[in-house]
Amino acid sequence: MNKIADPRSFDHARRRRFAQTFTATPHIVWMLIFIIVPMILVVYYSFTDKNGQFTLDNFKTFFGSDYSTVFLHSICFAFIATVISLLVAFPLAYFISRTKPRTQKILIMLIMLPMWTNFLIRTYSLMTIIETNGIINNFLASIGLPRIQMINTGGAVIFGMIYNYLPYMVLPIYTVMEKMDNRLIEAASDLGCNGWQVLTKVIIPLSSSGIVSGITMVFVPCVSTFYISQKLGGGKYQLIGDAIERQFQQAYNYNLGSALSFVLMILIFISMMLMNHFDKESEAASV
């Protein structure tokens, strides 16, 4: 015999759906105005000329000029910065996660402290440290050593990326490692695993989600940055972000600038899809 549904349950469900819709409305409006609409405008300007006519000349300009080389340089610089950030952040995050809770809070606060400072100020501060008459070279000169050319080099650009985005690699890896059961590491050691085997068979698989998140959070801003290359590279190392900014701010060629932005957006989407794919594979393997 079917039970008669309580009308109050329908009212409660309807009120709950209304509350969910109402609370989600500001986020939906925000996404429409500041994410969806700008992306639509980028796509529109990418496939049109200054008269609004459909054209593929913007992409022909990209693939038939130095912009493709600039694009590859951006990927190369971002890749190197991401790899170095991972090599530095992984042992650092593991060390922090194995310390006492109070010590963890202090160390994480020290890592996040530079992020409380404006991005431009951090980059300018880095310039005063590595420039020809900066702190490091003045110290070398004071002890009788020759000055080192660090500013206006590719290494300075990569170092600036690492300095600014390293916390985005440390924090997600630390978050995963902090929840890791230490008994699993002890069990692997008791079963005869050496340090390398414990690292590759236990620690890395269990922290793979944090690694993937950190790689995504570092690679995406590195490949699209432009201010770091301008200040630390001295304009010698033009990245795709510099080319996009020049088209919008100096050449006022919104169509070509949008085409460059569209190609960069596709690269970012592909990178995120690959990272999500590897993340799912690693989770399945760990299970």
Side-chain angles (χ1 to χ4, degrees):
M1 185 175 180
N2 295 332
K3 295 181 179 180
I4 300 176
D6 188 357
R8 290 177 298 181
S9 63
F10 287 106
D11 293 338
H12 177 71
R14 187 164 51 250
R15 287 195 298 268
R16 184 173 59 183
R17 287 195 299 269
F18 175 78
Q20 292 175 349
T21 304
F22 180 77
T23 54
T25 299
H27 179 67
I28 295 174
V29 173
W30 177 275
M31 289 183 59
L32 287 174
I33 297 177
F34 296 104
I35 299 179
I36 304 300
V37 173
M39 290 178 63
I40 293 175
L41 291 176
V42 167
V43 174
Y44 169 76
Y45 280 107
S46 299
F47 291 94
T48 57
D49 56 17
K50 294 183 179 180
N51 298 321
Q53 302 296 323
F54 176 80
T55 182
L56 296 177
D57 291 341
N58 300 317
F59 295 98
K60 292 179 181 179
T61 302
F62 170 78
F63 291 104
S65 63
D66 294 334
Y67 289 114
S68 57
T69 304
V70 172
F71 196 75
L72 293 176
H73 285 167
S74 302
I75 296 176
C76 181
F77 276 45
F79 177 79
I80 295 174
T82 303
V83 171
I84 296 177
S85 297
L86 178 60
L87 295 177
V88 174
F90 189 87
L92 178 59
Y94 180 78
F95 170 77
I96 296 175
S97 66
R98 300 298 102 180
T99 58
K100 298 179 180 180
R102 184 176 180 180
T103 306
Q104 292 182 22
K105 295 179 181 179
I106 296 174
L107 295 176
I108 290 299
M109 184 190 68
L110 293 177
I111 291 176
M112 294 179 61
L113 191 61
M115 300 172 62
W116 299 349
T117 308
N118 184 273
F119 176 82
L120 304 182
I121 297 177
R122 294 202 307 268
T123 306
Y124 267 110
S125 300
L126 190 59
M127 290 175 59
T128 62
I129 296 175
I130 66 174
E131 64 183 0
T132 305
N133 294 320
I135 297 175
I136 295 178
N137 276 320
N138 286 338
F139 172 75
L140 294 176
S142 65
I143 60 176
L145 295 177
R147 296 178 182 270
I148 302 174
Q149 178 62 35
M150 294 179 287
I151 197 72
N152 300 335
T153 61
V157 176
I158 295 175
F159 181 68
M161 293 178 179
I162 298 171
Y163 170 73
N164 281 286
Y165 301 120
L166 181 62
Y168 296 106
M169 182 72 77
V170 175
L171 294 178
I173 298 178
Y174 160 77
T175 302
V176 175
M177 287 185 171
E178 193 271 335
K179 300 176 183 178
M180 188 184 302
D181 192 349
N182 194 50
R183 292 175 297 180
L184 297 175
I185 301 176
E186 296 176 353
S189 300
D190 293 339
L191 292 174
C193 293
N194 55 34
W196 176 254
Q197 291 173 331
V198 171
L199 175 65
T200 56
K201 301 295 184 180
V202 179
I203 298 177
I204 292 179
L206 292 178
S207 57
S208 59
S209 60
I211 295 174
V212 171
S213 299
I215 291 175
T216 304
M217 294 175 65
V218 172
F219 180 79
V220 170
C222 283
V223 77
S224 58
T225 188
F226 61 93
Y227 191 78
I228 295 176
S229 56
Q230 292 178 3
K231 297 304 178 182
L232 300 181
K236 298 180 180 179
Y237 301 89
Q238 183 178 228
L239 303 183
I240 190 64
D242 301 310
I244 294 173
E245 188 213 16
R246 187 174 65 252
Q247 295 300 323
F248 280 100
Q249 298 293 335
Q250 300 178 12
Y252 299 103
N253 190 344
Y254 300 144
N255 303 97
L256 180 56
S258 298
L260 299 177
S261 302
F262 182 78
V263 175
L264 179 61
M265 185 170 58
I266 295 299
L267 172 65
I268 293 174
F269 283 153
I270 293 175
S271 302
M272 296 179 66
M273 291 173 60
L274 290 175
M275 291 298 101
N276 291 332
H277 176 71
F278 288 128
D279 189 22
K280 291 179 180 179
E281 285 189 347
S282 59
E283 288 181 356
S286 62
V287 172

